[in-house]
Amino acid sequence: MLYQQYPLFLIGFMGSGKSTLGRHLARELGWTFIDLDDFIETRENASITRLFAAHGENGFREMERRALAEVVKMQKVVVATGGGTPCFFNNMELMNRAGTTLYLQLSPAALVRRLLPGQAHRPLIADKTPDELLQFITQKLKEREPWYQQAKITADAELLSPEAYVHILKEAL
Ligand code: S3P
């Protein structure tokens, strides 16, 4: 049932719309919205960019793992995860055990279009030209798909409106 209390995790590449959709779904359900990056920033009292600079990606992934371990215990939450969250440690398994996982799937070209405007705020892509960005996304997506594909539900993020997602979730859960 949709109105069960277990968390709903939105997963997918940077720029796939996890936070926007997450806010909408949480409002629809009357649940709490958690953006995992914001949760980490509040915990660590620093921006993601600073955390990457100070502790490297490995340090950040440890913080992300700790944050996720807290969030999986919560009830009635919609969680927008970071693009890399499912691909480290046993994070994907943890989310699948704790609740529902929804993968917002997009093509590399669509991701480039969405990511170019706010690129400076994302440390993994901040310095890339549009061509480099397309190359990076194509490669990274290939590496990450095996984890993303473990989601309980996969949805084409290009086609669907937030209202359509609500419908899909009601059917699926
Ligand atoms: C990352 C995605 C970011 C953030 C960090 C690393 C990634 O989250 O966690 O910059 O590895 O794809 P968003 O997907 O919310 O941008």
Side-chain angles (χ1 to χ4, degrees):
M1 263 301 295
L2 180 59
Y3 295 100
Q4 68 190 6
Q5 317 210 332
Y6 305 112
L8 169 62
F9 299 97
L10 303 183
I11 70 166
F13 209 81
M14 293 175 263
S16 56
K18 293 163 294 193
S19 300
T20 307
L21 178 67
R23 265 187 213 99
H24 178 87
L25 290 175
R27 215 177 309 121
E28 280 285 323
L29 297 169
W31 288 10
T32 303
F33 172 68
I34 295 177
D35 181 301
L36 199 63
D37 283 342
D38 292 350
F39 189 86
I40 297 167
E41 288 184 337
T42 306
R43 271 295 133 88
E44 308 295 334
N45 200 23
S47 69
I48 300 294
T49 303
R50 283 189 69 114
L51 292 172
F52 261 75
H55 306 279
E57 181 171 355
N58 290 345
F60 172 75
R61 296 302 172 194
E62 283 293 343
M63 293 169 201
E64 184 176 51
R65 182 203 341 220
R66 283 200 297 274
L68 186 68
E70 281 185 53
V71 164
V72 292
K73 294 187 210 138
M74 297 178 181
Q75 297 192 330
K76 297 191 175 184
V77 287
V78 178
V79 184
T81 62
T85 311
C87 316
F88 291 85
F89 312 109
N90 64 339
N91 291 350
M92 193 63 203
E93 188 192 333
L94 209 62
M95 290 189 275
N96 271 332
R97 259 195 275 131
T100 304
T101 44
L102 170 63
Y103 170 31
L104 305 187
Q105 192 170 40
L106 275 178
S107 67
L111 288 167
V112 170
R113 275 198 306 277
R114 288 172 178 228
L115 283 169
L116 275 175
Q119 157 179 40
H121 305 290
R122 290 177 157 111
L124 289 178
I125 58 167
D127 301 327
K128 303 204 184 302
T129 65
D131 278 354
E132 288 169 347
L133 190 58
L134 180 60
Q135 244 184 334
F136 172 82
I137 292 172
T138 306
Q139 176 59 30
K140 262 275 180 276
L141 200 55
K142 214 157 100 192
E143 289 166 25
R144 289 180 170 183
E145 274 286 329
W147 279 276
Y148 293 161
Q149 291 290 352
Q150 292 170 36
K152 292 182 182 170
I153 309 168
T154 295
D156 184 334
E158 214 149 357
L159 295 180
L160 293 179
S161 64
E163 292 72 25
Y165 278 108
V166 173
H167 180 73
I168 287 182
L169 284 169
K170 282 186 173 152
E171 293 288 308
L173 298 175

